[in-house]
């Protein structure tokens, strides 16, 4: 990830979107396809990332891009649900008229033909491929919103940190399910149980180190239960071993990670 912190002292950065895509795809194996929205997509980026990285690019294009031919921008004389294509040696451009006077522009270095689907909307295959792959970020935001550690804050570094925790915990859950496909079969609350046990595993070393009990009875009961589990070696009752989640993070002298 890259955090956008606003304009620098030198003024606004030119070609910011292309630079970000090029940075974030560093190390990606060749013959992969990158899907972008219209903030990032440009013909210059598509050329460069294909030539230097061997990566195809599929993305929507803003109508103010200078490389777009006028024929793709014209909409008044076209029928609704019609498509207009333009081709270069490396790229395909399509203008799909979804509604009257409302067209959608896409660019692809993965597609090299003008294939349309057989449905009533007659969408090009290029648009269908884009729709299948465009929602990665949106889907991730949706799933982490279900169980999130975020809190109201005016400090942007803290907001970024909360997002890192949410994304990391969801990635850990995905990996855990792949490694242990038979864990909690038939249950629909797997992720909630996993996050609960993950949180306990992260705070358990701090609880065990605590010298005095908390003031409130509920918190003191949590500390006593954790100490009893550590002494007796009783496993969690949900079948998820906290030690199986990986090595515990080192604890500093002041008891904070």
């Amino acid at each position: 990830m890259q955090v956008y912190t606003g304009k620098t002292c030198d003024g606004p950065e030119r070609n910011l979107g292309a630079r970000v895509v090029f940075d974030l795809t560093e190390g990606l194996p060749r013959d992969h396809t990158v899907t972008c929205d219209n903030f990032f997509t440009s013909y210059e980026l598509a050329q460069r990332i294909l030539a230097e990285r061997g990566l195809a690019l599929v993305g929507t294009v803003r109508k103010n891009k200078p490389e777009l031919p006028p024929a793709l921008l014209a909409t008044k004389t076209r029928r609704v649900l019609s498509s207009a294509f333009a081709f270069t040696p490396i790229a395909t451009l399509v203008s799909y008229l979804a509604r009257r006077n409302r067209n959608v522009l896409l660019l692809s270095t993965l597609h090299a033909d003008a294939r349309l689907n057989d449905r009533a909307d007659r969408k090009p295959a290029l648009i269908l491929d884009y729709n299948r792959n465009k929602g990665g970020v949106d889907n991730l935001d949706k799933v982490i919103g279900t169980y999130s550690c975020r809190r109201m804050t005016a400090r942007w570094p803290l907001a970024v940190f909360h997002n890192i925790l949410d994304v990391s915990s969801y990635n850990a859950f995905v990996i855990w399910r792949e490694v242990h496909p038979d864990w909690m079969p038939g249950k629909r609350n797997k992720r909630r149980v996993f996050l609960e046990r993950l949180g306990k595993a992260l705070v358990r070393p701090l609880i065990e180190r605590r010298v005095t009990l908390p003031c409130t009875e509920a918190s003191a009961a949590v500390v006593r239960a954790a100490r009893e589990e550590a002494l007796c070696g009783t496993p969690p009752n949900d079948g998820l071993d906290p030690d199986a989640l990986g090595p515990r993070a080192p604890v500093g002298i002041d008891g904070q990670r």
Side-chain angles (χ1 to χ4, degrees):
M1 63 184 292
Q2 288 187 2
V3 179
Y4 177 68
T5 57
K7 297 179 182 179
T8 64
C9 57
D10 298 327
E13 180 181 354
R14 296 180 62 85
N15 298 323
L16 171 64
R19 195 266 303 162
V20 170
V21 172
F22 212 76
D23 289 348
L24 295 183
T25 55
E26 183 177 359
L28 194 66
R30 300 177 69 88
D31 299 326
H32 279 63
T33 302
V34 180
T35 306
C36 307
D37 64 17
N38 59 21
F39 177 78
F40 302 96
T41 308
S42 68
Y43 188 74
E44 179 184 357
L45 171 63
Q47 284 181 307
R48 185 181 175 199
I49 205 169
L50 181 63
E52 300 183 22
R53 297 272 173 86
L55 302 174
L57 185 138
V58 178
T60 52
V61 185
R62 291 184 176 178
K63 297 181 176 64
N64 61 354
K65 293 292 184 180
E67 61 264 27
L68 294 175
L72 293 186
L73 299 176
T75 59
K76 293 184 178 181
T77 59
R78 290 174 52 188
R79 292 180 292 105
V80 177
L81 305 183
S82 63
S83 299
F85 289 86
F87 300 94
T88 73
I90 66 164
T92 298
L93 279 162
V94 62
S95 171
Y96 175 71
L97 198 67
R99 294 193 297 269
R100 186 174 182 179
N101 297 329
R102 292 289 300 274
N103 63 331
V104 179
L105 297 166
L106 286 95
L107 180 147
S108 172
T109 56
L110 179 68
H111 303 80
D113 53 33
R115 286 185 295 115
L116 305 176
N117 71 76
D118 297 328
R119 305 181 314 189
D121 56 14
R122 301 291 290 169
K123 285 185 178 179
L126 192 161
I127 293 181
L128 296 180
D129 287 345
Y130 173 80
N131 289 339
R132 276 193 292 267
N133 296 285
K134 69 175 180 178
V137 175
D138 294 334
N139 288 336
L140 181 61
D141 289 340
K142 179 180 178 180
V143 295
I144 66 176
T146 306
Y147 299 105
S148 175
C149 67
R150 286 177 292 185
R151 296 295 182 269
M152 292 292 294
T153 178
R155 300 162 55 196
W156 69 262
L158 193 58
V160 172
F161 178 67
H162 289 162
N163 184 258
I164 291 174
L165 289 181
D166 287 340
V167 173
S168 300
S169 61
Y170 185 77
N171 289 342
F173 174 61
V174 171
I175 295 173
W176 176 266
R177 287 190 305 175
E178 291 296 321
V179 176
H180 304 279
D182 55 345
W183 178 63
M184 295 183 64
K187 300 294 184 180
R188 303 185 63 181
N189 63 336
K190 294 182 181 180
R191 186 173 167 219
R192 182 186 62 77
V193 174
F194 176 85
L195 293 176
E196 180 181 350
R197 295 305 308 168
L198 176 63
K200 290 180 179 179
L202 291 173
V203 301
R204 182 184 298 272
L206 303 181
I207 294 176
E208 295 173 355
R209 288 170 60 102
R210 194 178 183 104
V211 178
T212 60
L213 291 176
C215 298
T216 61
E217 182 57 32
S219 300
V222 172
V223 175
R224 283 193 291 266
R227 290 175 178 175
E228 290 177 3
E229 287 184 7
L231 291 175
C232 301
T234 55
N237 57 10
D238 54 20
L240 177 59
D241 182 6
D243 293 330
L245 295 175
R248 296 174 178 174
V251 179
I253 296 176
D254 60 353
Q256 296 182 357
R257 296 183 187 279

